[in-house]
PDB file of all heavy atoms in Angstrom:
ATOM      1  N   ARG A 262    -125.705  56.261 -26.803  1.00 90.00           N
ATOM      2  CA  ARG A 262    -124.994  55.004 -27.109  1.00 90.00           C
ATOM      3  C   ARG A 262    -124.002  55.213 -28.259  1.00 90.00           C
ATOM      4  O   ARG A 262    -122.895  54.644 -28.251  1.00 90.00           O
ATOM      5  CB  ARG A 262    -126.005  53.916 -27.461  1.00 90.00           C
ATOM      6  CG  ARG A 262    -126.904  53.496 -26.308  1.00 90.00           C
ATOM      7  CD  ARG A 262    -127.705  52.277 -26.686  1.00 90.00           C
ATOM      8  NE  ARG A 262    -128.680  51.931 -25.653  1.00 90.00           N
ATOM      9  CZ  ARG A 262    -129.995  51.948 -25.842  1.00 90.00           C
ATOM     10  NH1 ARG A 262    -130.490  52.274 -27.020  1.00 90.00           N
ATOM     11  NH2 ARG A 262    -130.819  51.622 -24.868  1.00 90.00           N
ATOM     12  N   ILE A 263    -124.402  55.999 -29.250  1.00 92.00           N
ATOM     13  CA  ILE A 263    -123.507  56.259 -30.382  1.00 92.00           C
ATOM     14  C   ILE A 263    -122.256  57.006 -29.922  1.00 92.00           C
ATOM     15  O   ILE A 263    -121.129  56.644 -30.282  1.00 92.00           O
ATOM     16  CB  ILE A 263    -124.244  57.062 -31.480  1.00 92.00           C
ATOM     17  CG1 ILE A 263    -125.314  56.188 -32.134  1.00 92.00           C
ATOM     18  CG2 ILE A 263    -123.264  57.566 -32.528  1.00 92.00           C
ATOM     19  CD1 ILE A 263    -126.198  56.924 -33.120  1.00 92.00           C
ATOM     20  N   ILE A 264    -122.448  58.030 -29.114  1.00 92.00           N
ATOM     21  CA  ILE A 264    -121.301  58.828 -28.646  1.00 92.00           C
ATOM     22  C   ILE A 264    -120.382  57.983 -27.764  1.00 92.00           C
ATOM     23  O   ILE A 264    -119.146  58.056 -27.879  1.00 92.00           O
ATOM     24  CB  ILE A 264    -121.805  60.072 -27.895  1.00 92.00           C
ATOM     25  CG1 ILE A 264    -122.522  61.018 -28.867  1.00 92.00           C
ATOM     26  CG2 ILE A 264    -120.664  60.784 -27.188  1.00 92.00           C
ATOM     27  CD1 ILE A 264    -123.155  62.228 -28.222  1.00 92.00           C
ATOM     28  N   GLU A 265    -120.976  57.169 -26.890  1.00 93.00           N
ATOM     29  CA  GLU A 265    -120.150  56.318 -26.018  1.00 93.00           C
ATOM     30  C   GLU A 265    -119.370  55.299 -26.836  1.00 93.00           C
ATOM     31  O   GLU A 265    -118.179  55.066 -26.600  1.00 93.00           O
ATOM     32  CB  GLU A 265    -121.057  55.597 -25.014  1.00 93.00           C
ATOM     33  CG  GLU A 265    -120.297  54.679 -24.072  1.00 93.00           C
ATOM     34  CD  GLU A 265    -121.219  53.889 -23.157  1.00 93.00           C
ATOM     35  OE1 GLU A 265    -122.430  54.190 -23.113  1.00 93.00           O
ATOM     36  OE2 GLU A 265    -120.723  52.953 -22.497  1.00 93.00           O
ATOM     37  N   TYR A 266    -120.009  54.674 -27.821  1.00 93.00           N
ATOM     38  CA  TYR A 266    -119.326  53.663 -28.645  1.00 93.00           C
ATOM     39  C   TYR A 266    -118.252  54.321 -29.517  1.00 93.00           C
ATOM     40  O   TYR A 266    -117.174  53.752 -29.724  1.00 93.00           O
ATOM     41  CB  TYR A 266    -120.355  52.943 -29.514  1.00 93.00           C
ATOM     42  CG  TYR A 266    -119.857  51.653 -30.118  1.00 93.00           C
ATOM     43  CD1 TYR A 266    -119.516  50.569 -29.307  1.00 93.00           C
ATOM     44  CD2 TYR A 266    -119.722  51.505 -31.494  1.00 93.00           C
ATOM     45  CE1 TYR A 266    -119.056  49.379 -29.851  1.00 93.00           C
ATOM     46  CE2 TYR A 266    -119.271  50.314 -32.046  1.00 93.00           C
ATOM     47  CZ  TYR A 266    -118.933  49.258 -31.224  1.00 93.00           C
ATOM     48  OH  TYR A 266    -118.480  48.080 -31.763  1.00 93.00           O
ATOM     49  N   ARG A 267    -118.537  55.523 -30.022  1.00 92.00           N
ATOM     50  CA  ARG A 267    -117.554  56.252 -30.820  1.00 92.00           C
ATOM     51  C   ARG A 267    -116.293  56.546 -30.012  1.00 92.00           C
ATOM     52  O   ARG A 267    -115.166  56.438 -30.523  1.00 92.00           O
ATOM     53  CB  ARG A 267    -118.182  57.564 -31.316  1.00 92.00           C
ATOM     54  CG  ARG A 267    -117.288  58.388 -32.206  1.00 92.00           C
ATOM     55  CD  ARG A 267    -118.043  59.605 -32.724  1.00 92.00           C
ATOM     56  NE  ARG A 267    -118.297  60.583 -31.668  1.00 92.00           N
ATOM     57  CZ  ARG A 267    -119.083  61.649 -31.824  1.00 92.00           C
ATOM     58  NH1 ARG A 267    -119.690  61.871 -32.973  1.00 92.00           N
ATOM     59  NH2 ARG A 267    -119.258  62.495 -30.823  1.00 92.00           N
ATOM     60  N   GLU A 268    -116.480  56.872 -28.732  1.00 93.00           N
ATOM     61  CA  GLU A 268    -115.336  57.151 -27.866  1.00 93.00           C
ATOM     62  C   GLU A 268    -114.512  55.896 -27.625  1.00 93.00           C
ATOM     63  O   GLU A 268    -113.272  55.941 -27.632  1.00 93.00           O
ATOM     64  CB  GLU A 268    -115.837  57.733 -26.536  1.00 93.00           C
ATOM     65  CG  GLU A 268    -114.751  58.043 -25.534  1.00 93.00           C
ATOM     66  CD  GLU A 268    -113.787  59.118 -26.010  1.00 93.00           C
ATOM     67  OE1 GLU A 268    -114.171  59.936 -26.868  1.00 93.00           O
ATOM     68  OE2 GLU A 268    -112.648  59.129 -25.522  1.00 93.00           O
ATOM     69  N   ARG A 269    -115.167  54.773 -27.412  1.00 92.00           N
ATOM     70  CA  ARG A 269    -114.443  53.516 -27.188  1.00 92.00           C
ATOM     71  C   ARG A 269    -113.710  53.070 -28.448  1.00 92.00           C
ATOM     72  O   ARG A 269    -112.583  52.566 -28.380  1.00 92.00           O
ATOM     73  CB  ARG A 269    -115.405  52.427 -26.741  1.00 92.00           C
ATOM     74  CG  ARG A 269    -115.993  52.639 -25.353  1.00 92.00           C
ATOM     75  CD  ARG A 269    -116.939  51.500 -25.012  1.00 92.00           C
ATOM     76  NE  ARG A 269    -116.239  50.224 -25.014  1.00 92.00           N
ATOM     77  CZ  ARG A 269    -116.837  49.039 -25.164  1.00 92.00           C
ATOM     78  NH1 ARG A 269    -118.153  48.984 -25.356  1.00 92.00           N
ATOM     79  NH2 ARG A 269    -116.142  47.928 -25.133  1.00 92.00           N
ATOM     80  N   LEU A 270    -114.349  53.232 -29.602  1.00 92.00           N
ATOM     81  CA  LEU A 270    -113.714  52.832 -30.858  1.00 92.00           C
ATOM     82  C   LEU A 270    -112.532  53.714 -31.208  1.00 92.00           C
ATOM     83  O   LEU A 270    -111.516  53.259 -31.748  1.00 92.00           O
ATOM     84  CB  LEU A 270    -114.732  52.909 -32.002  1.00 92.00           C
ATOM     85  CG  LEU A 270    -115.656  51.735 -32.255  1.00 92.00           C
ATOM     86  CD1 LEU A 270    -116.660  52.094 -33.335  1.00 92.00           C
ATOM     87  CD2 LEU A 270    -114.887  50.486 -32.652  1.00 92.00           C
ATOM     88  N   GLY A 271    -112.703  55.007 -30.954  1.00 92.00           N
ATOM     89  CA  GLY A 271    -111.757  55.986 -31.468  1.00 92.00           C
ATOM     90  C   GLY A 271    -112.298  56.625 -32.735  1.00 92.00           C
ATOM     91  O   GLY A 271    -111.590  57.374 -33.422  1.00 92.00           O
ATOM     92  N   GLY A 272    -113.555  56.348 -33.062  1.00 92.00           N
ATOM     93  CA  GLY A 272    -114.187  56.891 -34.265  1.00 92.00           C
ATOM     94  C   GLY A 272    -114.659  55.763 -35.168  1.00 92.00           C
ATOM     95  O   GLY A 272    -114.209  54.619 -35.064  1.00 92.00           O
ATOM     96  N   PHE A 273    -115.590  56.106 -36.051  1.00 92.00           N
ATOM     97  CA  PHE A 273    -116.137  55.117 -36.987  1.00 92.00           C
ATOM     98  C   PHE A 273    -115.335  55.124 -38.280  1.00 92.00           C
ATOM     99  O   PHE A 273    -115.058  56.179 -38.862  1.00 92.00           O
ATOM    100  CB  PHE A 273    -117.606  55.436 -37.295  1.00 92.00           C
ATOM    101  CG  PHE A 273    -118.521  55.284 -36.104  1.00 92.00           C
ATOM    102  CD1 PHE A 273    -118.839  56.388 -35.322  1.00 92.00           C
ATOM    103  CD2 PHE A 273    -119.042  54.049 -35.763  1.00 92.00           C
ATOM    104  CE1 PHE A 273    -119.688  56.255 -34.231  1.00 92.00           C
ATOM    105  CE2 PHE A 273    -119.886  53.905 -34.676  1.00 92.00           C
ATOM    106  CZ  PHE A 273    -120.204  55.011 -33.899  1.00 92.00           C
ATOM    107  N   VAL A 274    -114.985  53.919 -38.732  1.00 91.00           N
ATOM    108  CA  VAL A 274    -114.303  53.763 -40.017  1.00 91.00           C
ATOM    109  C   VAL A 274    -115.335  53.610 -41.130  1.00 91.00           C
ATOM    110  O   VAL A 274    -115.151  54.107 -42.241  1.00 91.00           O
ATOM    111  CB  VAL A 274    -113.368  52.534 -39.989  1.00 91.00           C
ATOM    112  CG1 VAL A 274    -112.710  52.322 -41.346  1.00 91.00           C
ATOM    113  CG2 VAL A 274    -112.319  52.695 -38.913  1.00 91.00           C
ATOM    114  N   ARG A 275    -116.436  52.920 -40.811  1.00 89.00           N
ATOM    115  CA  ARG A 275    -117.508  52.675 -41.777  1.00 89.00           C
ATOM    116  C   ARG A 275    -118.842  52.951 -41.094  1.00 89.00           C
ATOM    117  O   ARG A 275    -119.006  52.679 -39.898  1.00 89.00           O
ATOM    118  CB  ARG A 275    -117.491  51.229 -42.278  1.00 89.00           C
ATOM    119  CG  ARG A 275    -116.187  50.796 -42.922  1.00 89.00           C
ATOM    120  CD  ARG A 275    -116.215  49.312 -43.265  1.00 89.00           C
ATOM    121  NE  ARG A 275    -116.547  48.497 -42.088  1.00 89.00           N
ATOM    122  CZ  ARG A 275    -115.687  48.149 -41.150  1.00 89.00           C
ATOM    123  NH1 ARG A 275    -114.414  48.540 -41.242  1.00 89.00           N
ATOM    124  NH2 ARG A 275    -116.058  47.416 -40.142  1.00 89.00           N
ATOM    125  N   VAL A 276    -119.823  53.437 -41.847  1.00 88.00           N
ATOM    126  CA  VAL A 276    -121.140  53.699 -41.267  1.00 88.00           C
ATOM    127  C   VAL A 276    -121.813  52.401 -40.827  1.00 88.00           C
ATOM    128  O   VAL A 276    -122.663  52.393 -39.938  1.00 88.00           O
ATOM    129  CB  VAL A 276    -122.046  54.456 -42.262  1.00 88.00           C
ATOM    130  CG1 VAL A 276    -121.529  55.853 -42.525  1.00 88.00           C
ATOM    131  CG2 VAL A 276    -122.186  53.686 -43.572  1.00 88.00           C
ATOM    132  N   GLU A 277    -121.413  51.279 -41.418  1.00 89.00           N
ATOM    133  CA  GLU A 277    -122.013  49.999 -41.063  1.00 89.00           C
ATOM    134  C   GLU A 277    -121.739  49.601 -39.614  1.00 89.00           C
ATOM    135  O   GLU A 277    -122.419  48.724 -39.063  1.00 89.00           O
ATOM    136  CB  GLU A 277    -121.508  48.884 -42.007  1.00 89.00           C
ATOM    137  CG  GLU A 277    -122.013  48.982 -43.431  1.00 89.00           C
ATOM    138  CD  GLU A 277    -121.286  50.028 -44.252  1.00 89.00           C
ATOM    139  OE1 GLU A 277    -120.218  50.517 -43.783  1.00 89.00           O
ATOM    140  OE2 GLU A 277    -121.750  50.357 -45.360  1.00 89.00           O
ATOM    141  N   GLN A 278    -120.746  50.228 -39.001  1.00 90.00           N
ATOM    142  CA  GLN A 278    -120.444  49.914 -37.606  1.00 90.00           C
ATOM    143  C   GLN A 278    -121.571  50.332 -36.665  1.00 90.00           C
ATOM    144  O   GLN A 278    -121.625  49.897 -35.522  1.00 90.00           O
ATOM    145  CB  GLN A 278    -119.135  50.604 -37.178  1.00 90.00           C
ATOM    146  CG  GLN A 278    -117.888  49.986 -37.802  1.00 90.00           C
ATOM    147  CD  GLN A 278    -116.643  50.774 -37.485  1.00 90.00           C
ATOM    148  OE1 GLN A 278    -116.443  51.870 -38.025  1.00 90.00           O
ATOM    149  NE2 GLN A 278    -115.803  50.231 -36.618  1.00 90.00           N
ATOM    150  N   LEU A 279    -122.489  51.165 -37.123  1.00 89.00           N
ATOM    151  CA  LEU A 279    -123.654  51.530 -36.310  1.00 89.00           C
ATOM    152  C   LEU A 279    -124.470  50.307 -35.921  1.00 89.00           C
ATOM    153  O   LEU A 279    -125.097  50.275 -34.863  1.00 89.00           O
ATOM    154  CB  LEU A 279    -124.555  52.507 -37.072  1.00 89.00           C
ATOM    155  CG  LEU A 279    -124.290  54.000 -36.934  1.00 89.00           C
ATOM    156  CD1 LEU A 279    -125.346  54.775 -37.680  1.00 89.00           C
ATOM    157  CD2 LEU A 279    -124.276  54.408 -35.469  1.00 89.00           C
ATOM    158  N   ALA A 280    -124.482  49.302 -36.776  1.00 87.00           N
ATOM    159  CA  ALA A 280    -125.273  48.093 -36.498  1.00 87.00           C
ATOM    160  C   ALA A 280    -124.753  47.358 -35.267  1.00 87.00           C
ATOM    161  O   ALA A 280    -125.458  46.493 -34.721  1.00 87.00           O
ATOM    162  CB  ALA A 280    -125.264  47.169 -37.715  1.00 87.00           C
ATOM    163  N   GLU A 281    -123.534  47.660 -34.803  1.00 90.00           N
ATOM    164  CA  GLU A 281    -122.971  47.005 -33.621  1.00 90.00           C
ATOM    165  C   GLU A 281    -123.495  47.613 -32.324  1.00 90.00           C
ATOM    166  O   GLU A 281    -123.242  47.079 -31.237  1.00 90.00           O
ATOM    167  CB  GLU A 281    -121.441  47.119 -33.653  1.00 90.00           C
ATOM    168  CG  GLU A 281    -120.804  46.500 -34.894  1.00 90.00           C
ATOM    169  CD  GLU A 281    -119.330  46.872 -35.044  1.00 90.00           C
ATOM    170  OE1 GLU A 281    -118.788  47.522 -34.111  1.00 90.00           O
ATOM    171  OE2 GLU A 281    -118.740  46.535 -36.087  1.00 90.00           O
ATOM    172  N   ILE A 282    -124.234  48.714 -32.417  1.00 88.00           N
ATOM    173  CA  ILE A 282    -124.698  49.417 -31.219  1.00 88.00           C
ATOM    174  C   ILE A 282    -126.046  48.864 -30.789  1.00 88.00           C
ATOM    175  O   ILE A 282    -126.973  48.789 -31.606  1.00 88.00           O
ATOM    176  CB  ILE A 282    -124.818  50.934 -31.499  1.00 88.00           C
ATOM    177  CG1 ILE A 282    -123.445  51.495 -31.897  1.00 88.00           C
ATOM    178  CG2 ILE A 282    -125.379  51.665 -30.288  1.00 88.00           C
ATOM    179  CD1 ILE A 282    -123.487  52.944 -32.314  1.00 88.00           C
ATOM    180  N   PRO A 283    -126.212  48.467 -29.517  1.00 84.00           N
ATOM    181  CA  PRO A 283    -127.516  47.981 -29.043  1.00 84.00           C
ATOM    182  C   PRO A 283    -128.583  49.064 -29.191  1.00 84.00           C
ATOM    183  O   PRO A 283    -128.336  50.241 -28.957  1.00 84.00           O
ATOM    184  CB  PRO A 283    -127.252  47.668 -27.556  1.00 84.00           C
ATOM    185  CG  PRO A 283    -125.780  47.501 -27.446  1.00 84.00           C
ATOM    186  CD  PRO A 283    -125.177  48.411 -28.474  1.00 84.00           C
TER     187      PRO A 283
END
Side-chain angles (χ1 to χ4, degrees):
R262 294 189 186 117
I263 291 174
I264 293 176
E265 179 185 350
Y266 196 64
R267 183 176 70 189
E268 179 63 24
R269 292 180 61 202
L270 275 174
F273 294 95
V274 177
R275 303 174 306 279
V276 293
E277 290 78 13
Q278 288 174 287
L279 271 184
E281 301 168 6
I282 300 175

